[in-house]
Amino acid sequence: MKKALIALAVLGLTGGAAVAQSSVTLFGVLDADVKYVKTGSLTLKKLDSSGLNTSRFGVRGTEDLGGGLKAGFWLESEVNTDTGVAGAASGGAFWARRTTVSLSGDFGEVRLGRNKSVSRLHVEDFDPSAFTGLGNVGVLYSNLGSGNGTSFGRADNQVSYSLPGNLGGFYGAVDVSAGEGVGTNKGIAARAGYKAGPLHVSGAYATTSNAADTDKFKLASIGAAYDFGVIRPAFSYTENKYQARKQEILTVSATAPLGQGQLWGSYTSAKTSGEVGFATVGTPKLLALGYIYNLSKRTALYTTVAELKNDGTTRFILGGSPATVAGAAGLGAKSTGFDVGIRHSF
Amino acid sequence: MKKALIALAVLGLTGGAAVAQSSVTLFGVLDADVKYVKTGSLTLKKLDSSGLNTSRFGVRGTEDLGGGLKAGFWLESEVNTDTGVAGAASGGAFWARRTTVSLSGDFGEVRLGRNKSVSRLHVEDFDPSAFTGLGNVGVLYSNLGSGNGTSFGRADNQVSYSLPGNLGGFYGAVDVSAGEGVGTNKGIAARAGYKAGPLHVSGAYATTSNAADTDKFKLASIGAAYDFGVIRPAFSYTENKYQARKQEILTVSATAPLGQGQLWGSYTSAKTSGEVGFATVGTPKLLALGYIYNLSKRTALYTTVAELKNDGTTRFILGGSPATVAGAAGLGAKSTGFDVGIRHSF
Amino acid sequence: MKKALIALAVLGLTGGAAVAQSSVTLFGVLDADVKYVKTGSLTLKKLDSSGLNTSRFGVRGTEDLGGGLKAGFWLESEVNTDTGVAGAASGGAFWARRTTVSLSGDFGEVRLGRNKSVSRLHVEDFDPSAFTGLGNVGVLYSNLGSGNGTSFGRADNQVSYSLPGNLGGFYGAVDVSAGEGVGTNKGIAARAGYKAGPLHVSGAYATTSNAADTDKFKLASIGAAYDFGVIRPAFSYTENKYQARKQEILTVSATAPLGQGQLWGSYTSAKTSGEVGFATVGTPKLLALGYIYNLSKRTALYTTVAELKNDGTTRFILGGSPATVAGAAGLGAKSTGFDVGIRHSF
């Protein structure tokens, strides 16, 4: 949903031809919703941030170096629309969403810095909510007690490589994150896919270390979507493993144009099994439905309903819900939510 | 004093007509003063920030959606010119001054996010210093031990509504802030006024809850100003109440064009009464006088003198003063200050 | 290396003539390197930030006030490319690198705010690495246990004055930082020099107080460089003093154009003497060599090698190294490093 909306002319440093090809862009999203959430018997009405897309503020740019070579940079900071807090929700650092410098050309692209792992990008592609808001499929993803969700989010100290964009629909990328003495910072992720015409298929694999750097959390995932025009069904299947623990997550979803917007729905089942006594054993399920009404390409009104049913010993909750399922009383608790919001990007 | 100084052309997403009407603006203020302050026997010389206007950095924009409808966003962060600290002085969050997304049209404007309450905007309109610097009338406003000054500042989780601007000088706005489990975050404020030609009258009412959400802090205020051209006298009267405590604040002020600038002065008396033993019972008085010399519309030099006299058990101090009036020795202490500064906005 | 790369037209507030002379500029640097460092027996491979120039994000601008008078502002924030952290590495504040408002004219320039001291600017001019990255000569500079390195970095509450730029190559500046109750914040620095044609000579003097404001840390430094075209040799000699402690630092360096870039090298010896038992007595030496390959004026690839040899009781380490020289085992330890990186400025 992020778009380059403002191109500032670059003056004085490069010739006339390069001016048209180099740019610095200020961009962002401000998204707020009025949300009603209920978990077990506890309810909460709130003004929340990022119901449809994560609110953010960023600066990015590219420079044409000639001969097909380009340099680029990207600074992106999360914004909590309801409180004005910057950065905190995605890792504490101000520019925690992304801080990279890159070089790209015929060989592909190399990026250095803090960034989202390619395995996370893979899974988001097959979730209509892209891991955001009440319908966020990500709430069911567990790190299985490994102490590490890096393969499922963003990582510091990352070097990533992406194949060039001219491979007839085929694409691929790999990233490596240096631990620098912290086991849970150490990770590697790879992704390959094909996207052309109505078809999109993709697979990803990632591992990250636990704190002691003795065992690895492993993620393997496949996804596919086909756009029939009137409807775009999609699915993804992901296996997370850590020691004797395993999580099998299936998401089926569909997006359909409706009036001046899109209707979408997703269903996710996340079966966790393995070690006795591990707190999230069971098969919780998430059902989410939403409608996005586009006032323009940049501005939309939206509404979402979602229901998350816990199972066995699982205690997952919807994003933004009051956290009542932590205790024994939370066994089997249900978490539901409804919101109405506005998203404006610049 | 904030002005939209830079309009960046919006490219590529909207048609030619909309380009002229949509914009993203980078704006800010850098204000620093050399200040001498004395409270009781303690003196301090310092380089300070925000002597005339609060230093800030912001990004805002609007998008024309057609049919009179507009979307807008606003991100604004305080800057301490003397230390480089961002955000902290107005609530800790980076964008604590304002983080909103809004929709406006013939119906008025709805804003969601963190913002200044309309009751605070009302009072600032009748203080020549607009609650900033040595002459800041706000230092005499007490929350009366309610633990809450939200009705007098900015609030998280706010939904606000403003009447449209075409009501022949009449205006009005209301805002509601969701507590989301924190009593002192819960508030409501309303304001109505008339501003046309030389006359401006306005009234405001606000309530906020205490921490336990058992009692309310209440503010009621009226203000008026008349611009005779050679001088603009103004006054405001505000009553703050909490349980058996009460504060009656009267401000009379005047602003007059003088040479390439404005001369201004204000006198405030704040009578606090009520519960025995409450630490701010008495009638402290603040006298402030200043001159602003405009080098341009964006840049000004200024000077301010102010004197705050405590009374009874009150222990108020001028902004930036050494805090000596906290102890018993501070009873009746006087706080005085003088500054010379520069304010540059962009 | 910082360059004004984007000039945004200022609209609406000033006449046509002023438009061409007033500007607001968004600028920054994103610099990341892959670094291998070894101290004693400990090694570390890492993705690091700021190997050549410190990564940063800033906004600055000037306004032409007529009659040769100009107002200006500058906001600059450090960025850690590897983690997305903003501000922290240079003092905690978001805009810690620089936050100033200034007025300049025929009389010179007065700046108020947080800024780098002129004594630090003097020393950086004669270090090819400008106190950044593996070759940073600054790692050998000690505050001699005074608790204060302010004279060697940035200071809050600073008022600075610079002579005008039209003195036939002569320049000079002085800055004063108000302690405001904190001894280590209190400082004064002065600098004078001559830079014309191939010759550059400069001298600086600075003092800062210790925490109790009872003793002063003093720095005196001279530097010179001559650009022969094929090579630019430079040297600086600095004496730091605090109580009975003394540090004599000699840096000799050279920069030479080579192909589409520059080759540079520096050698620094820092003899510390004085009080028995002080932890940094000895003569550590730093040797650094680097090559910068310019892809454009804005983008460069670079590589650096450096070796720091401790001596006596000194325990200095190269920037980014694992910190093993703190204990007794670190006596005489050697710290070495190698990096390859990319710097992109905007």
Side-chain angles (χ1 to χ4, degrees):
Chain A
M1 287 289 176
K2 216 178 316 154
K3 295 280 171 56
L5 291 162
I6 305 147
L8 313 179
V10 175
L11 304 175
L13 280 196
T14 51
V19 167
Q21 295 155 348
S22 296
S23 68
V24 172
T25 302
L26 243 174
F27 66 94
V29 172
L30 270 296
D31 180 324
D33 58 352
V34 177
K35 201 173 263 177
Y36 174 81
V37 279
K38 183 177 178 184
T39 299
S41 59
L42 211 64
T43 63
L44 191 61
K45 275 171 277 189
K46 63 195 305 194
L47 184 82
D48 211 349
S49 183
S50 312
L52 179 60
N53 296 148
T54 303
S55 300
R56 70 195 72 168
F57 164 72
V59 187
R60 63 173 183 255
T62 57
E63 181 196 14
D64 193 325
L65 298 167
L69 207 59
K70 282 188 184 183
F73 76 96
W74 194 298
L75 290 168
E76 187 175 321
S77 171
E78 181 164 350
V79 173
N80 290 354
T81 309
D82 49 342
T83 61
V85 170
S90 55
F94 187 82
W95 302 108
R97 285 182 61 83
R98 183 166 164 190
T99 310
T100 58
V101 55
S102 62
L103 206 58
S104 61
D106 295 341
F107 60 88
E109 180 175 4
V110 174
R111 279 186 204 158
L112 307 178
R114 178 176 170 86
N115 203 356
K116 198 183 270 188
S117 80
V118 296
S119 54
R120 167 72 173 261
L121 288 169
H122 155 82
V123 185
E124 290 184 0
D125 275 353
F126 304 98
D127 169 12
S129 82
F131 271 50
T132 306
L134 279 176
N136 178 357
V137 163
V139 297
L140 290 184
Y141 281 72
S142 169
N143 65 15
L144 298 172
S146 67
N148 198 322
T150 299
S151 63
F152 234 62
R154 293 169 168 87
D156 289 346
N157 316 315
Q158 197 186 75
V159 178
S160 73
Y161 167 72
S162 304
L163 290 172
N166 57 358
L167 303 179
F170 288 97
Y171 64 86
V174 59
D175 61 57
V176 180
S177 306
E180 300 183 10
V182 180
T184 49
N185 281 355
K186 198 174 159 184
I188 182 161
R191 178 189 186 182
Y194 175 81
K195 190 177 184 180
L199 180 65
H200 187 190
V201 292
S202 168
Y205 182 78
T207 71
T208 51
S209 291
N210 61 3
D213 201 3
T214 50
D215 274 300
K216 287 189 190 307
F217 171 92
K218 294 169 190 168
L219 171 147
S221 179
I222 53 168
Y226 195 91
D227 194 343
F228 291 98
V230 294
I231 191 164
R232 178 188 178 269
F235 92 96
S236 70
Y237 175 75
T238 303
E239 274 191 14
N240 290 328
K241 288 183 184 173
Y242 177 65
Q243 294 171 343
R245 302 160 192 173
K246 186 175 172 182
Q247 194 183 30
E248 297 159 274
I249 307 168
L250 177 73
T251 296
V252 292
S253 67
T255 309
L258 180 66
Q260 195 175 331
Q262 301 90 40
L263 187 68
W264 65 269
S266 74
Y267 170 82
T268 299
S269 147
K271 183 184 174 190
T272 310
S273 56
E275 205 168 292
V276 175
F278 183 59
T280 56
V281 173
T283 307
K285 293 176 179 68
L286 172 67
L287 186 66
L289 195 68
Y291 182 66
I292 303 162
Y293 179 81
N294 296 306
L295 293 169
S296 74
K297 284 186 185 174
R298 293 168 53 191
T299 306
L301 303 177
Y302 61 87
T303 184
T304 322
V305 291
E307 182 186 83
L308 190 162
K309 278 189 190 164
N310 278 292
D311 174 66
T313 63
T314 72
R315 290 170 174 82
F316 295 104
I317 53 172
L318 282 183
S321 275
T324 58
V325 289
L331 289 183
K334 199 166 72 173
S335 186
T336 54
F338 168 73
D339 74 348
V340 177
I342 178 169
R343 185 263 299 147
H344 176 65
S345 57
F346 62 97
Chain B
M1 288 289 174
K2 215 179 318 155
K3 295 279 172 56
L5 291 163
I6 304 148
L8 312 180
V10 176
L11 305 175
L13 282 196
T14 52
V19 167
Q21 294 155 349
S22 298
S23 69
V24 173
T25 302
L26 243 173
F27 67 95
V29 172
L30 269 295
D31 180 324
D33 58 351
V34 177
K35 201 172 263 177
Y36 174 82
V37 279
K38 183 178 178 182
T39 299
S41 59
L42 210 63
T43 63
L44 190 61
K45 274 171 278 187
K46 62 194 306 194
L47 183 83
D48 211 350
S49 183
S50 311
L52 180 59
N53 296 149
T54 303
S55 301
R56 70 196 71 169
F57 163 72
V59 187
R60 64 172 184 256
T62 56
E63 181 197 13
D64 193 325
L65 299 166
L69 207 60
K70 282 187 183 183
F73 76 95
W74 194 297
L75 289 167
E76 188 174 320
S77 170
E78 180 165 350
V79 173
N80 291 355
T81 309
D82 49 343
T83 60
V85 169
S90 54
F94 187 83
W95 303 108
R97 285 182 60 84
R98 184 166 164 190
T99 310
T100 57
V101 56
S102 62
L103 206 58
S104 61
D106 296 341
F107 61 87
E109 180 176 3
V110 174
R111 278 186 205 160
L112 307 178
R114 177 176 171 86
N115 203 356
K116 197 183 271 188
S117 81
V118 295
S119 54
R120 167 72 173 262
L121 288 169
H122 156 82
V123 185
E124 290 184 2
D125 275 353
F126 304 98
D127 170 13
S129 82
F131 271 49
T132 306
L134 279 176
N136 178 357
V137 164
V139 297
L140 290 184
Y141 282 72
S142 169
N143 65 14
L144 299 172
S146 66
N148 198 324
T150 299
S151 63
F152 234 61
R154 292 169 168 88
D156 288 347
N157 316 316
Q158 198 186 74
V159 179
S160 73
Y161 167 72
S162 304
L163 291 172
N166 57 358
L167 304 179
F170 289 97
Y171 64 85
V174 59
D175 60 57
V176 180
S177 306
E180 301 184 8
V182 181
T184 49
N185 281 355
K186 198 174 159 184
I188 182 161
R191 178 189 186 181
Y194 175 81
K195 190 176 184 180
L199 180 64
H200 186 189
V201 292
S202 168
Y205 181 77
T207 70
T208 50
S209 291
N210 61 2
D213 201 5
T214 49
D215 273 300
K216 286 189 189 308
F217 171 93
K218 294 169 191 168
L219 172 149
S221 179
I222 53 166
Y226 195 91
D227 194 343
F228 290 98
V230 294
I231 191 164
R232 178 188 177 269
F235 91 95
S236 72
Y237 175 75
T238 304
E239 275 191 12
N240 291 327
K241 288 183 184 174
Y242 177 64
Q243 294 172 345
R245 302 161 191 172
K246 185 175 173 182
Q247 194 183 29
E248 298 159 275
I249 307 168
L250 177 72
T251 296
V252 292
S253 67
T255 308
L258 179 66
Q260 196 176 330
Q262 300 91 40
L263 187 69
W264 65 269
S266 73
Y267 171 83
T268 300
S269 147
K271 183 183 174 191
T272 310
S273 56
E275 205 168 292
V276 175
F278 183 59
T280 56
V281 173
T283 307
K285 293 176 178 68
L286 172 67
L287 187 64
L289 196 68
Y291 182 66
I292 304 162
Y293 179 81
N294 297 306
L295 294 169
S296 75
K297 285 187 184 173
R298 292 169 55 191
T299 306
L301 303 176
Y302 61 86
T303 184
T304 322
V305 290
E307 181 186 84
L308 190 162
K309 279 189 190 165
N310 278 293
D311 174 66
T313 63
T314 72
R315 289 169 176 82
F316 295 103
I317 53 172
L318 281 184
S321 275
T324 58
V325 289
L331 289 183
K334 198 166 70 172
S335 186
T336 54
F338 168 73
D339 74 349
V340 178
I342 178 170
R343 186 262 297 146
H344 176 65
S345 58
F346 61 97
Chain C
M1 289 288 174
K2 216 178 318 152
K3 296 280 171 55
L5 291 163
I6 305 148
L8 313 179
V10 175
L11 304 175
L13 281 196
T14 52
V19 167
Q21 295 155 348
S22 296
S23 69
V24 173
T25 302
L26 243 174
F27 67 95
V29 172
L30 269 295
D31 180 323
D33 58 352
V34 177
K35 202 172 262 177
Y36 174 82
V37 279
K38 182 178 178 182
T39 298
S41 60
L42 211 63
T43 63
L44 189 61
K45 274 171 277 187
K46 62 194 305 193
L47 184 82
D48 211 350
S49 182
S50 310
L52 180 59
N53 296 148
T54 303
S55 300
R56 71 197 71 170
F57 165 73
V59 187
R60 63 173 183 253
T62 56
E63 181 196 15
D64 194 325
L65 298 167
L69 208 60
K70 282 187 184 184
F73 76 95
W74 194 297
L75 290 167
E76 187 175 321
S77 170
E78 180 164 351
V79 173
N80 290 355
T81 310
D82 49 342
T83 60
V85 169
S90 54
F94 187 83
W95 302 109
R97 285 182 60 85
R98 183 167 165 189
T99 310
T100 58
V101 56
S102 62
L103 206 57
S104 62
D106 295 341
F107 61 87
E109 180 175 5
V110 174
R111 279 186 203 159
L112 307 178
R114 177 176 172 85
N115 203 357
K116 197 183 271 188
S117 81
V118 296
S119 53
R120 167 73 172 262
L121 287 169
H122 157 82
V123 185
E124 289 184 2
D125 275 353
F126 304 98
D127 169 12
S129 82
F131 272 49
T132 306
L134 279 175
N136 178 357
V137 164
V139 298
L140 289 184
Y141 282 72
S142 169
N143 65 15
L144 298 172
S146 67
N148 198 323
T150 299
S151 63
F152 233 62
R154 293 170 168 87
D156 289 347
N157 317 315
Q158 198 186 73
V159 178
S160 72
Y161 167 72
S162 304
L163 290 172
N166 57 358
L167 303 179
F170 289 97
Y171 64 85
V174 59
D175 61 57
V176 181
S177 306
E180 301 183 9
V182 181
T184 48
N185 281 355
K186 197 173 160 184
I188 182 161
R191 178 189 186 182
Y194 174 81
K195 190 176 184 179
L199 181 64
H200 187 190
V201 292
S202 169
Y205 182 78
T207 70
T208 49
S209 291
N210 61 2
D213 202 3
T214 50
D215 274 299
K216 286 190 190 308
F217 171 92
K218 294 169 189 167
L219 171 147
S221 179
I222 53 166
Y226 194 91
D227 194 344
F228 291 98
V230 293
I231 191 164
R232 178 187 177 269
F235 91 95
S236 71
Y237 175 76
T238 303
E239 275 191 12
N240 291 327
K241 288 183 185 174
Y242 177 65
Q243 294 172 343
R245 302 160 192 173
K246 184 175 173 183
Q247 194 183 29
E248 298 159 275
I249 307 168
L250 177 72
T251 297
V252 292
S253 67
T255 310
L258 180 66
Q260 195 176 331
Q262 301 90 40
L263 186 68
W264 64 269
S266 74
Y267 170 83
T268 300
S269 146
K271 183 184 173 188
T272 311
S273 56
E275 205 169 293
V276 176
F278 183 61
T280 56
V281 173
T283 306
K285 294 176 177 69
L286 172 67
L287 186 65
L289 196 68
Y291 182 66
I292 304 161
Y293 178 81
N294 296 306
L295 293 169
S296 74
K297 284 186 184 173
R298 292 168 54 192
T299 306
L301 303 177
Y302 61 87
T303 184
T304 323
V305 289
E307 181 186 83
L308 191 162
K309 278 189 191 164
N310 279 292
D311 173 66
T313 63
T314 71
R315 290 169 175 80
F316 295 103
I317 53 171
L318 282 183
S321 274
T324 59
V325 289
L331 289 182
K334 199 166 72 173
S335 185
T336 54
F338 168 73
D339 75 348
V340 178
I342 179 170
R343 186 263 297 146
H344 175 66
S345 57
F346 61 96

